[in-house]
Amino acid sequence: MSKVSGTPFGVTKKGEEVRELTLDNGTISCKIITFGATVRTLTVPGRDGAVDVVLGYDTLAEYEENGGYFGAVVGRYANRIAGGRFVLNGKEYTLARNDGPNHLHGGNVGYSHRVWTVEEAGADRAVLTLDSPDGEEGYPGHLQARVTYALEGSALSIHYEAVSDRDTPCNLTNHSYFNLSGQGSGDVLAHKVQLFCSAYTPAGETSIPLGTVDPVEGTPMDLRVPTPIGAHIGEPFQQLVWGHGYDHNFVVDGQPGALRPAARVCSQATGVGMEVETNSPGMQFYTANFVENGRKGKGGAVYSSRHGFCLETQHFPDTPNQPGFPSATLKAGERYDQTTRFRFFLLEG
Ligand code: BGC
């Protein structure tokens, strides 16, 4: 059904052809590869010229082999499910434990490691789809996912849709690592971050939420006013120690379901600012804590821990085992509908 779009970006180890699509609206541009529906580049105006603000790789082999989910769409359930198990409608389901004792980002071959189909490829808009069979990675129901990337003025908008023929947990996000000073330019500790989040879900040693929703007030998790990422990251606060930095789910203020501001981040080095809006209940703020020193990136870049930050809009981690959290069950026949917009602007002065 889909016509051949974009340019070749290699062949997976299993022999599937991967393509790269380029979107450009004259203000911002990006490259999307069909492996993982991954954002490989995202170029926005800076004070002194265009800046590529996402980490990535030059080759498909690196996307296949390296951990970290650079730029990918993750699913069927982004983030962790404790013990790789959950009960839904009275039946227990078992998933891969691919992160210590827990399930992470959809398992051994999550949506980030599947080749998506191009449904539409325009100058400033691309639609990719994925067919996820019943039982894939242990999840119930045949799920059909659809992700639309659209350039809207100075924003990249991502719209996630999914339908399933059985009830299933569903939580899709994009795992881009941003560096607004330019990918490969070093750490992001001087970036100022503001999260429109008055609460977060504290987690235990293996990053599974403890079940409470705690106020950020009076803790280093309080990022409600613009704060350098590095200001408190090294404090001996138990949550930051266990997370090796920020790696926490924040509760986005306002009503889930409504598109509302979630974050604003700025780099003085390039003058690039980014605003995130989402209709998701939560957002993982992650400071690339587990990117090892010396990882080779695009165009000769060398990455390390804290060289990027992720803002993964999402349902709260481990919701399938946490009755107190807003439900992440996609009911059979209903439509999953998530939108996140990353809008870029230039700082004054
Ligand atoms: C998780 C981190 C994990 C990273 C890359 C993030 O969403 O919260 O703990 O290391 O993804 O896998």
Side-chain angles (χ1 to χ4, degrees):
M1 187 184 84
S2 70
K3 65 176 171 30
V4 178
S5 318
T7 54
F9 191 74
V11 174
T12 64
K13 283 184 269 184
K14 279 166 59 188
E16 302 148 296
E17 204 203 331
V18 173
R19 313 281 302 178
E20 178 167 82
L21 311 174
T22 300
L23 307 188
D24 191 341
N25 70 353
T27 305
I28 64 174
S29 64
C30 68
K31 290 185 190 293
I32 312 284
I33 57 169
T34 55
F35 184 78
T38 297
V39 177
R40 197 176 76 80
T41 71
L42 177 55
T43 304
V44 308
R47 200 188 288 118
D48 303 312
V51 187
D52 181 2
V53 295
V54 294
L55 276 56
Y57 301 115
D58 288 325
T59 67
L60 178 61
E62 289 163 298
Y63 281 101
E64 278 200 277
E65 281 153 31
N66 295 351
Y69 306 86
F70 282 25
V73 170
V74 294
R76 186 177 298 198
Y77 198 90
N79 211 285
R80 292 174 178 79
I81 296 179
R85 63 161 293 283
F86 64 92
V87 174
L88 181 61
N89 300 334
K91 189 171 176 330
E92 176 160 13
Y93 294 91
T94 310
L95 310 169
R97 295 178 181 178
N98 58 326
D99 184 64
N102 303 316
H103 177 80
L104 176 67
H105 292 332
N108 292 323
V109 188
Y111 298 175
S112 51
H113 288 72
R114 299 264 326 267
V115 178
W116 292 57
T117 300
V118 178
E119 184 184 290
E120 189 188 317
D124 57 3
R125 196 180 124 92
V127 182
L128 295 108
T129 62
L130 186 76
D131 202 68
S132 176
D134 182 26
E136 186 181 34
E137 289 288 335
Y139 289 99
H142 171 202
L143 182 142
Q144 290 165 291
R146 191 162 184 265
V147 169
T148 303
Y149 287 108
L151 305 184
E152 296 168 353
S154 64
L156 170 65
S157 153
I158 312 180
H159 183 206
Y160 307 82
E161 295 163 278
V163 287
S164 171
D165 61 3
R166 290 170 62 196
D167 294 0
T168 179
C170 180
N171 186 27
L172 307 178
T173 192
N174 181 278
H175 208 298
S176 285
Y177 291 69
F178 295 96
N179 185 327
L180 305 182
S181 301
Q183 71 89 19
S185 67
D187 72 59
V188 294
L189 298 175
H191 282 51
K192 282 196 179 158
V193 64
Q194 181 176 19
L195 303 184
F196 300 99
C197 304
S198 308
Y200 75 113
T201 53
E205 226 167 328
T206 67
S207 292
I208 296 297
L210 303 172
T212 58
V213 174
D214 287 9
V216 294
E217 177 119 44
T219 77
M221 314 310 269
D222 191 348
L223 300 168
R224 288 174 296 172
V225 298
T227 308
I229 290 180
H232 305 292
I233 200 170
E235 285 183 12
F237 181 66
Q238 187 66 75
Q239 287 296 310
L240 291 174
V241 174
W242 277 341
H244 301 269
Y246 292 101
D247 187 5
H248 296 86
N249 173 61
F250 286 77
V251 180
V252 180
D253 290 343
Q255 206 46 50
L259 198 65
R260 63 215 190 282
R264 198 180 159 104
V265 191
C266 300
S267 159
Q268 287 298 339
T270 51
V272 174
M274 178 175 88
E275 238 168 40
V276 184
E277 289 183 315
T278 188
N279 64 0
S280 285
M283 178 175 64
Q284 191 84 6
F285 175 46
Y286 172 56
T287 42
N289 310 334
F290 303 111
V291 174
E292 73 285 357
N293 288 342
R295 190 185 295 191
K296 198 171 125 314
K298 283 183 291 194
V302 179
Y303 305 138
S304 179
S305 157
R306 318 239 190 283
H307 279 207
F309 63 90
C310 302
L311 291 167
E312 303 153 56
T313 52
Q314 62 183 3
H315 280 284
F316 301 175
D318 196 35
T319 294
N321 293 307
Q322 305 263 3
F325 289 172
S327 170
T329 303
L330 172 63
K331 298 264 188 207
E334 290 185 359
R335 181 169 293 270
Y336 177 92
D337 191 318
Q338 204 260 91
T339 300
T340 296
R341 279 177 79 236
F342 298 95
R343 190 180 73 80
F344 297 90
F345 57 93
L346 264 185
L347 300 179
E348 314 256 306

